[in-house]
């Protein structure tokens, strides 16, 4: 069975500091990996995704993530945090697009706080 | 914009009453999903559909049923609401090459 573990339910950084949100997954097949962001009282917005190809994936708002198969990780980073980055971030995995194999399995989320 | 609309956006209902949440999409996508979001649990899959009248259970399906009589509509029904079903419910569609797009959510409170 697939699973996703996000290390740290809360992460706090100073404005301008590096953001690092950790995600490890388990999957018996090559996974599709996703990061979503959720601002308060809003839905989920896709930040970036990995399906195949280049293992370093660039997303919106300056975020990027690197798929490391040997470490079963897909950590999210941003070089310099902005106040507007304060939100909850979810890592998710699926085995395919659509169908029973395409169900997204989510981690429990990491709340990012940015201090001025 | 993948054109997903959830209704209602907010609902308060009493324990034991039936409740139906609606997810409507405008682009004929085949795969649709219902998730619930609870603090400390992330999002968990309730049911999903891979076409008209084709549905299957997810991780937390007990107490929920779904129907999909038209491609554009995916309904989630709580037959007899309980307080444990107080949650935020999200509908999603899966778009080949683009990933998953989520609706704005329905906040359901069972009192």
């Amino acid at each position: 069975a697939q699973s996703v573990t996000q290390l740290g339910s809360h992460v706090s950084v100073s404005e301008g500091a590096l953001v690092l949100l950790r995600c490890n997954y388990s999957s018996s097949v090559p996974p599709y990996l996703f990061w979503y962001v959720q601002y308060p009282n809003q839905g989920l917005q896709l930040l970036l995704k990995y399906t195949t190809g280049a293992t370093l994936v660039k997303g919106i708002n300056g975020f990027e993530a690197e798929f490391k198969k040997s470490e079963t990780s897909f950590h999210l980073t941003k070089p310099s945090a902005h106040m507007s980055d304060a939100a909850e971030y979810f890592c998710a995995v699926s085995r395919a697009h659509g169908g029973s194999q395409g169900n997204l399995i989510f981690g429990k989320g990491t709340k990012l706080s940015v201090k001025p | 914009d993948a054109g997903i609309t959830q209704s209602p956006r907010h609902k308060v209902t009493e324990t034991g009453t039936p409740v139906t949440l609606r997810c409507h999409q405008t682009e004929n996508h085949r795969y649709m999903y219902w998730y619930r979001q609870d603090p400390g649990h992330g999002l968990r899959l309730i049911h999903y559909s891979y076409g008209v009248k084709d549905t299957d259970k997810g991780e937390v399906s007990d107490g929920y049923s779904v129907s999909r009589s038209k491609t554009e509509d995916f309904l989630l029904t709580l037959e007899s609401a309980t307080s444990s079903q107080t949650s935020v419910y999200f509908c999603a569609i899966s778009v080949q090459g683009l990933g998953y797009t989520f609706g704005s959510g329905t906040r359901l409170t069972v009192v």
Side-chain angles (χ1 to χ4, degrees), chain B residues 19-37:
Chain B
V19 177
T20 294
L21 309 183
R22 181 182 185 233
C23 178
H24 178 78
Q25 58 142 328
T26 59
E27 298 184 1
N28 269 345
H29 295 296
R30 181 179 176 189
Y31 302 111
M32 299 183 75
Y33 307 82
W34 276 108
Y35 287 86
R36 60 177 288 174
Q37 182 180 23

Side-chain angles (χ1 to χ4, degrees), chain A residues 61-76:
Chain A
N61 301 340
F63 285 93
E64 63 182 35
E66 185 171 10
F67 169 56
K68 292 187 176 181
K69 184 178 178 180
S70 62
E71 299 177 7
T72 61
S73 69
F74 192 57
H75 301 331
L76 183 70

